[in-house]
Amino acid sequence: MAPGHYFWAIFYFACLCSASLANNAKVNFREKEKKILDQILGAGKYDARIRPSGINGTDGPAIVRINLFVRSIMTISDIKMEYSVQLTFREQWLDERLKFDDIGGRLKYLTLTEANRVWMPDLFFSNEKEGHFHNIIMPNVYIRIFPYGSVLYSIRISLTLACPMNLKLYPLDRQVCSLRMASYGWTTADLVFLWKEGDPVQVVKNLHLPRFTLEKFLTDYCNSKTNTGEYSCLKVDLLFKREFSYYLIQIYIPCCMLVIVSWVSFWLDQGAVPARVSLGVTTLLTMATQTSGINASLPPVSYTKAIDVWTGVCLTFVFGALLEFALVNYASRSADRAADMHRENMKKKRRELEQASLDAASDLLDTDSNATFAMLRQCEVHMQAPKRPNCCRSWLAKFPTRKCSRSKRIDVISRITFPLVFALFNLVYWSTYLFREEEEE
């Protein structure tokens, strides 16, 4: 072949290669995507009403794997027994009808935003009270179809879920709040939900809750049987521990202070009636208001809570301090009346003795002096009352109650008895409820 022919052959081959490269460079993968979607989801080619086949194309149930990402937990309400959570919810299943050519690995997946284009599991949240999707700026949902027919559905939702609580140990309690997901219409013969293998639930880092701490979470299955069949169900148990420091500052310490303030009346003079009455009534009303505020933030339950025991005993101590003053006042007035009667009796006896002395002096003139002295000595012996040893009086005599009445001794006893009994109550209370908390844990 002539050299000129070689040149033209090489030139022609180069032109073909450059044209082929130019065609490849101009491939519009978005157009390819459209064609593939029209091919696999076109009219008469795919029916979204029919569920996918089972494993390996069998007639078994379709397997749907679930995983969650907890973005935030907004509120946990004790009075409504509910909690609000925002999460990214994902489902993944295999639908062999959606297989397509990935153009040599260049097309990794197809993306849809319309869930009604493909078959979807009929999952619902069985303990949901309220819920909504997020549509700002666009609906937060997507569907990815992979070349081998796998479908990934992801959506961001906010839910308010029921959380039945046991408040017997409130506020030293732990609560378990569940998130339950189940199939509404498909039985386990057609649809089975499974947790995704390897970390099916993720929680955002630095999750902040005002009065609780998320200690841990557990995944489990909760299939339910009804008259219409057995339905697949998944659940997540979130274990929340209540932060006690808030209640220590807001409830326990103020109640202790009110109880101690009510004891100040024991050191006030028994004659300061307005001061002691004002102090007792004020502390009693403040304690009652505190108790009402605590109960207003909790649901009305039929059992006794730990906080009820605390506020009830503190209210009893404050009321007891007020009753103690009533007893002191009554004892003081009784002592005054007794003292007045005693003074009248002493005056009467003194007059009688004076009269008896005058009579005895006149009789001394006619009788023997020795016999008279013996008779007077015998009268003095009979007039003296017998004294019996009393342990309580001996113990009370040690207190600085000289020149004080019985009412003052009641105050002195109260100064010691009330703090000791309250300290004993604290010991029993904290030992009991902290021990029960460890048992439940």
Side-chain angles (χ1 to χ4, degrees):
M1 184 180 292
H5 294 155
Y6 281 111
F7 171 76
W8 289 109
I10 293 172
F11 179 75
Y12 179 73
F13 181 74
C15 289
L16 289 176
C17 290
S18 63
S20 177
L21 291 173
N23 289 334
N24 288 337
K26 293 180 181 178
V27 172
N28 189 340
F29 287 100
R30 304 289 75 80
E31 185 66 26
K32 290 285 186 182
E33 232 181 291
K34 177 183 179 302
K35 290 182 180 180
I36 293 172
L37 285 173
D38 291 340
Q39 179 183 355
I40 62 177
L41 298 176
K45 295 183 179 180
Y46 184 86
D47 193 342
R49 299 172 298 176
I50 308 301
R51 71 168 180 86
S53 302
I55 299 175
N56 298 325
T58 63
D59 194 34
I63 305 298
V64 179
R65 298 192 177 274
I66 308 293
N67 71 93
L68 305 172
F69 175 62
V70 180
R71 292 181 172 271
S72 64
I73 299 175
M74 281 77 75
T75 57
I76 302 176
S77 175
D78 298 314
I79 192 168
K80 294 183 178 179
M81 291 196 178
E82 64 184 22
Y83 72 106
S84 299
V85 61
Q86 183 186 128
L87 50 86
T88 298
F89 174 74
R90 305 186 188 98
E91 297 176 302
Q92 193 163 11
W93 66 93
L94 182 64
D95 193 341
E96 295 182 350
R97 297 173 294 174
L98 299 176
K99 289 182 179 180
F100 63 90
D101 183 12
D102 60 356
I103 315 176
R106 297 185 182 182
L107 195 58
K108 294 183 178 179
Y109 52 80
L110 304 174
T111 302
L112 296 175
T113 56
E114 300 174 359
N116 58 355
R117 297 287 301 276
V118 298
W119 176 86
M120 292 288 300
D122 61 342
L123 180 141
F124 76 106
F125 297 93
S126 58
N127 60 332
E128 172 206 352
K129 287 187 174 181
E130 294 180 3
H132 67 270
F133 302 118
H134 293 265
N135 298 316
I136 300 175
I137 297 176
M138 292 293 292
N140 297 167
V141 58
Y142 68 78
I143 297 175
R144 289 177 181 173
I145 303 174
F146 294 89
Y148 52 91
S150 178
V151 181
L152 173 63
Y153 173 74
S154 178
I155 188 170
R156 187 164 73 99
I157 53 178
S158 291
L159 300 170
T160 300
L161 303 163
C163 179
M165 298 182 181
N166 186 347
L167 299 174
K168 288 183 178 180
L169 297 182
Y170 177 91
L172 300 167
D173 57 334
R174 284 177 169 83
Q175 301 297 337
V176 178
C177 295
S178 298
L179 173 63
R180 293 174 175 265
M181 300 159 285
S183 172
Y184 189 80
W186 298 95
T187 64
T188 52
D190 296 307
L191 178 62
V192 172
F193 292 120
L194 298 176
W195 286 112
K196 183 180 179 181
E197 296 179 359
D199 200 17
V201 177
Q202 304 93 39
V203 179
V204 66
K205 294 181 180 179
N206 302 322
L207 179 66
H208 176 70
L209 295 171
R211 289 184 296 170
F212 288 88
T213 300
L214 179 61
E215 288 193 327
K216 60 182 178 180
F217 52 89
L218 303 171
T219 57
D220 202 355
Y221 296 90
C222 53
N223 291 6
S224 60
K225 290 184 179 181
T226 66
N227 292 335
T228 56
E230 182 179 1
Y231 297 89
S232 184
C233 175
L234 304 178
K235 72 172 181 176
V236 186
D237 289 332
L238 305 172
L239 178 60
F240 296 104
K241 180 183 179 182
R242 198 181 300 272
E243 287 292 341
F244 179 68
S245 57
Y246 169 81
Y247 300 93
L248 180 65
I249 296 171
Q250 296 294 325
I251 296 176
Y252 284 91
I253 292 179
C255 288
C256 279
M257 294 174 65
L258 287 172
V259 172
I260 293 172
V261 167
S262 69
W263 299 341
V264 174
S265 64
F266 302 154
W267 274 265
L268 296 179
D269 186 75
Q270 60 186 9
V273 176
R276 296 187 70 162
V277 171
S278 300
L279 182 62
V281 172
T282 302
T283 53
L284 183 63
L285 292 177
T286 306
M287 191 67 218
T289 304
Q290 179 88 345
T291 304
S292 300
I294 295 169
N295 292 330
S297 63
L298 292 172
V301 293
S302 59
Y303 48 83
T304 302
K305 304 180 289 293
I307 195 68
D308 294 335
V309 175
W310 175 264
T311 55
V313 172
C314 289
L315 190 63
T316 303
F317 269 93
V318 174
F319 184 66
L322 186 61
L323 289 182
E324 188 270 351
F325 170 67
L327 179 62
V328 166
N329 187 263
Y330 175 77
S332 177
R333 288 186 287 107
S334 298
D336 292 341
R337 287 196 299 269
D340 293 341
M341 292 179 62
H342 180 70
R343 281 194 294 270
E344 292 294 330
N345 292 332
M346 290 299 294
K347 288 180 181 179
K348 185 183 295 185
K349 288 183 179 180
R350 191 178 297 113
R351 287 194 297 268
E352 292 177 355
L353 288 174
E354 288 176 355
Q355 183 66 32
S357 299
L358 292 176
D359 295 341
S362 61
D363 292 340
L364 284 174
L365 299 174
D366 301 326
T367 60
D368 184 65
S369 60
N370 292 331
T372 304
F373 177 78
M375 182 182 65
L376 291 174
R377 183 66 180 172
Q378 186 176 3
C379 291
E380 288 180 1
V381 170
H382 284 291
M383 290 177 64
Q384 291 180 354
K387 295 183 179 180
R388 297 180 181 178
N390 193 316
C391 298
C392 295
R393 290 181 179 178
S394 301
W395 178 72
L396 290 174
K398 298 179 182 179
F399 293 105
T401 57
R402 184 176 298 175
K403 299 181 181 179
C404 295
S405 62
R406 184 185 304 171
S407 59
K408 185 64 176 178
R409 293 196 176 188
I410 296 175
D411 275 342
V412 172
I413 295 173
S414 299
R415 294 173 191 175
I416 299 173
T417 305
F418 273 71
L420 284 179
V421 176
F422 190 67
L424 180 62
F425 161 70
N426 272 269
L427 179 63
V428 174
Y429 179 87
W430 295 113
S431 301
T432 301
Y433 284 102
L434 290 177
F435 178 72
R436 289 179 61 183
E437 182 189 13
E438 291 177 359
E439 265 190 350
E440 290 202 355
E441 183 180 0

